[in-house]
Amino acid sequence: MNASMTDQTDVSAADARQLLIDLVSTPSPSDAETDAAEVLVEFFESYGREAWLDEVGNVRAPADDSVLLTSHVDTVPGEIPVEVEPADENDLEQDVADELGEDVLWGRGSVDATGPLAAMAAAAVRTGVSFVGVVGEETSSRGARHLVDERSEPDAVVNGEPSGTTGITLGYRGFLAGTYVATSESGHTSRPEPNAIQHATNWWNGVEAAFENDEYTAVFERVTAKPVDIDGGISEDGLSVEATLDVQLRIPPSLDAESVRETAEAGLEIGTVSWAEPIPPVMESPRTEVARAFRVAIRNEVGDPRLLRKTGTSDMNLYAGEWDCPMVTYGPGNSDLDHAPDERLSLAEFDRSVAVLEGVSTTLRGGEE
């Protein structure tokens, strides 16, 4: 959907900040995002923009598709009292030199990713570009999966995650999750035969060895293999030993999920592994029109831009896997505070990120830089 430049509407810095505070004050853990999503719908409607919740709960506010601004509505669980307080010297963001004395918003999601979400909503209204707030990013990415299945490809995508006001994220590792299950006959522990728990740990030790890297290999270029949950013991009827092991592997752009899965299963002799649908890695070029627009906007508003590669995974991986258009990830906040008990965001940094997003969106729409 292409709209005219007259669809731009001014959003004051105070109103943008109030949206951020309202969203952070509205709990939105994964699978319980509706209240926060409705706050976003009301925000868009108050500025004359059409907005609604789709079948899975995503906030849809279509407009000019020169660029789609999108971030996730959900947060991880955890209550952090929401308050705004003056910053002290220890609260300074690394990429902002003049932070001292500026207000800081504390609360779950202020960094990951309600800060980027609110900044994008304000910039979308200011510039008349398309916006989607997706659900479930912290769990199954069901919102992003629904979006790429149901929505046509935009001209460009800016995904919202914390990068700091000067950071432009171009790459993420992919993600593969699996569950190993094994069963063995029960018997006296004096017997030498391995039981199901030993089979599980033996398999996983082999997986870790297969992906072992030397210390000189950058983390972004490695497969990181992590067990995340294990359950095992004598079955209820006492006749067998059972073991279940949940694992996660991060995939660098040099590999794909299939090759990683094959390596992980190469040493599998006993037991079975069921794999969830993988999320592919992504590495975007720094020379796309979107990346160039960000470099210009960051220099105009903040300072020198930084190009980033993240060792985690985001919804941008899914968008890049389905849409053949340029994209980056951007948003205010220090990603070291993701999911942390002291999650907080400088409101001045938030203001600057809105200005950067406004500059990028205006450029991609064909307006003046």
Side-chain angles (χ1 to χ4, degrees), residues 311-348:
T311 58
T313 307
S314 79
D315 281 341
M316 187 172 92
N317 298 61
L318 292 171
Y319 302 142
E322 296 294 331
W323 289 337
D324 185 21
C325 64
M327 59 188 69
V328 305
T329 291
Y330 176 82
N334 179 354
S335 59
D336 289 342
L337 298 175
D338 288 5
H339 307 181
D342 55 349
E343 189 173 1
R344 63 197 186 276
L345 176 65
S346 158
L347 292 181

Side-chain angles (χ1 to χ4, degrees), residues 8 17 23 29 40 78 89 211 307 320:
Q8 301 172 77
R17 284 188 177 193
L23 286 170
L40 276 171
E89 189 169 359
F211 292 116
L307 302 180

Side-chain angles (χ1 to χ4, degrees), residues 14-344:
D15 287 346
R17 284 188 177 193
Q18 189 60 54
L19 172 65
L20 170 65
I21 294 169
D22 289 345
L23 286 170
V24 172
S25 301
T26 307
S28 57
S30 302
D31 300 321
E33 303 101 329
T34 302
D35 289 347
E38 289 177 345
V39 170
L40 276 171
V41 170
E42 291 174 3
F43 171 78
F44 278 96
E45 290 180 341
S46 71
Y47 287 95
R49 281 278 296 267
E50 181 183 18
W52 70 89
L53 303 187
D54 68 15
E55 296 88 338
V56 299
N58 293 333
V59 179
R60 307 288 289 274
D64 190 291
D65 253 2
S66 298
V67 60
L68 169 64
L69 305 182
T70 177
S71 185
H72 60 94
V73 181
D74 63 317
T75 69
V76 295
E79 294 186 12
I80 300 173
V82 179
E83 58 180 328
V84 176
E85 64 177 33
D88 59 36
E89 189 169 359
N90 294 324
D91 289 323
L92 302 190
E93 299 296 342
Q94 294 300 309
D95 62 339
V96 178
D98 59 348
E99 196 79 42
L100 190 61
E102 295 176 348
D103 292 341
V104 171
L105 172 66
W106 291 71
R108 174 58 78 220
S110 55
V111 171
D112 186 16
T114 308
L117 178 76
M120 287 184 161
V125 171
R126 285 184 180 180
T127 60
V129 300
S130 291
F131 170 91
V132 178
V134 296
V135 294
E137 189 273 348
E138 299 287 0
T139 54
S140 64
S141 288
R142 70 184 189 280
R145 293 182 189 277
H146 177 78
L147 192 66
V148 296
D149 286 342
E150 189 272 339
R151 189 194 191 281
S152 60
E153 177 183 302
D155 294 339
V157 174
V158 179
N159 182 55
E161 293 284 355
S163 62
T165 50
T166 61
I168 309 166
T169 304
L170 299 174
Y172 284 97
R173 291 192 295 177
F175 181 79
L176 179 64
T179 299
Y180 171 93
V181 177
T183 302
S184 61
E185 291 185 358
S186 61
H188 199 279
T189 56
S190 64
R191 292 171 55 181
E193 296 84 8
N195 62 22
I197 297 172
Q198 290 171 295
H199 291 315
T201 55
N202 288 340
W203 170 70
W204 187 246
N205 287 337
V207 172
E208 290 183 326
F211 292 116
E212 187 175 1
N213 288 275
D214 62 54
E215 60 182 296
Y216 303 106
T217 303
V219 174
F220 185 79
E221 301 296 342
R222 305 178 192 174
V223 173
T224 302
K226 290 290 182 181
V228 294
D229 191 41
I230 187 168
D231 184 33
I234 303 295
S235 62
E236 290 186 5
D237 61 15
L239 300 178
S240 63
V241 177
E242 301 171 340
T244 301
L245 175 65
D246 292 328
V247 303
Q248 296 179 354
L249 299 100
R250 302 286 176 166
I251 308 166
S254 59
L255 298 174
D256 57 36
E258 183 61 30
S259 63
V260 170
R261 183 165 49 221
E262 290 176 355
T263 300
E265 291 182 348
L268 182 66
E269 297 180 356
I270 298 175
T272 61
V273 184
S274 58
W275 300 100
E277 185 177 356
I279 299 175
V282 57
M283 189 66 222
E284 290 285 308
S285 168
R287 293 180 290 276
T288 66
E289 60 179 332
V290 181
R292 287 195 296 269
F294 265 102
R295 289 197 295 272
V296 171
I298 288 170
R299 289 190 182 104
N300 287 342
E301 298 293 340
V302 187
D304 293 331
R306 299 172 297 121
L307 302 180
L308 307 177
R309 305 184 304 176
K310 296 291 186 73
T311 58
T313 307
S314 79
D315 281 341
M316 187 172 92
N317 298 61
L318 292 171
Y319 302 142
E322 296 294 331
W323 289 337
D324 185 21
C325 64
M327 59 188 69
V328 305
T329 291
Y330 176 82
N334 179 354
S335 59
D336 289 342
L337 298 175
D338 288 5
H339 307 181
D342 55 349
E343 189 173 1
R344 63 197 186 276

